[in-house]
Amino acid sequence: MRYPKKIVEKLNAVKAKRPRTVIQHILAHGYVTTEELENLYGYKHAPRAARDVREQGIPLETYRVKSSDGRTIVAYKFGDLTNIGNKISKAKGRTVLSKTLKNALIEKYGTKCFIYAQPMDPQILQIDHRIPYEIGGEQSDDVDHYMLLSPSANRAKSWTCEHCPNWVKKDPNFCVGCFWASPESYTHIAGKKHRQIIITFTGNEVEDYNKLIEIVGNDKAETTIKKLIKNYIN
């Protein structure tokens, strides 16, 4: 598909590597698949790459296609680019959250991932909006609007949010009560009335974990832990 010169110039103005890679591929081929993002560019978490583009103010549509081996996979193409100029101007400055904000989060909460609740090297922790930018838009610099996540937690959150019914409805209040926005106090996980405890075994506890797996097997570990909790409560 050919786009007007002014729109192409605005798309080419995006310089950040990951969103630019997605944009240029779509400009050349009309769309990009998750398979192409991984095999051609090494982006194993395609939703994160697509999110980078959207955070630049460029709309993407998601749809299904067949992979080279016949599997159903996701592909991305541009949405309505009519007002792209205004969207990009509003998005500038959003893509890189400041070091000052990260330091403020560390000062208040420590160097830990909000989801895994484990201390981590501050260098790997990433700042993320509690309410996804695609749903809540730009938020103030209030430190409580953000959270620190490990790379794996950030990927898990991105995937869950993009597969949540609220990704279409876009109700910020729905997100406020979700585990992925407020793990310290939540009422649901992506709309389901679930509760979640992430247990990390460290030090001498690793041996306890190994013995548990040896006795009950990996597939029954969760059920066994739930029974132990129930027995303890009773």
Side-chain angles (χ1 to χ4, degrees):
M1 179 176 180
R2 297 180 64 86
Y3 298 96
K5 182 179 178 181
K6 288 186 177 180
I7 287 181
V8 173
E9 288 175 349
K10 290 168 182 175
L11 291 170
N12 285 334
V14 175
K15 301 301 182 185
K17 182 180 178 181
R18 189 158 53 187
R20 181 176 177 81
T21 298
V22 177
I23 291 166
Q24 293 303 314
H25 189 102
I26 297 176
L27 278 174
H29 305 283
Y31 65 93
V32 64
T33 69
T34 54
E35 183 178 47
E36 290 169 331
L37 286 172
E38 179 173 357
N39 294 343
L40 296 179
Y41 308 110
Y43 298 146
K44 295 184 179 181
H45 187 57
R48 176 69 258 188
R51 183 178 174 184
D52 286 345
V53 176
R54 292 178 176 126
E55 289 179 352
Q56 292 281 349
I58 300 169
L60 289 183
E61 293 181 3
T62 302
Y63 62 105
R64 304 280 178 176
V65 296
K66 293 295 184 181
S67 68
S68 58
D69 59 2
R71 293 177 295 112
T72 299
I73 60 173
V74 166
Y76 303 99
K77 63 182 179 180
F78 293 133
D80 182 5
L81 299 178
T82 305
N83 298 316
I84 189 176
N86 294 331
K87 291 178 180 178
I88 288 180
S89 65
K90 290 178 181 177
K92 284 182 178 177
R94 150 68 189 101
T95 54
V96 180
L97 296 172
S98 73
K99 187 175 181 180
T100 300
L101 176 57
K102 184 173 184 178
N103 288 338
L105 282 163
I106 290 174
E107 182 178 351
K108 184 168 184 176
Y109 297 105
T111 55
K112 69 174 184 178
C113 170
F114 277 44
I115 297 300
Y116 296 132
Q118 291 294 316
M120 294 188 178
D121 184 341
Q123 295 297 322
I124 71 169
L125 288 171
Q126 302 169 349
I127 309 173
D128 194 51
H129 287 77
R130 283 182 179 263
I131 298 175
Y133 176 77
E134 294 85 350
I135 295 175
E138 193 55 83
Q139 293 147 47
S140 74
D141 290 335
D142 186 335
V143 69
D144 288 326
H145 288 165
Y146 302 88
M147 62 200 311
L148 291 170
L149 298 176
S150 68
S152 62
N154 205 342
R155 290 191 295 270
K157 178 179 178 180
S158 295
W159 190 94
T160 304
C161 290
E162 293 191 16
H163 290 80
C164 174
N166 196 46
W167 195 253
V168 176
K169 296 178 181 178
K170 298 190 182 305
D171 177 6
N173 291 323
F174 179 93
C175 293
V176 171
C178 180
F179 168 79
W180 291 101
S182 308
E184 66 274 31
S185 177
Y186 62 97
T187 58
H188 65 89
I189 301 178
K192 297 179 180 178
K193 293 184 178 180
H194 295 171
R195 297 295 184 270
Q196 183 166 313
I197 297 175
I198 298 175
I199 304 175
T200 302
F201 294 82
T202 62
N204 294 333
E205 297 169 347
V206 174
E207 186 58 31
D208 295 335
Y209 170 83
N210 291 336
K211 287 181 179 178
L212 175 66
I213 299 304
E214 183 181 340
I215 295 170
V216 304
N218 212 16
D219 57 334
K220 294 183 179 179
E222 182 177 341
T223 302
T224 301
I225 291 172
K226 287 179 179 178
K227 287 181 179 178
L228 291 171
I229 292 173
K230 190 174 184 63
N231 291 338
Y232 181 83
I233 293 172
N234 291 337

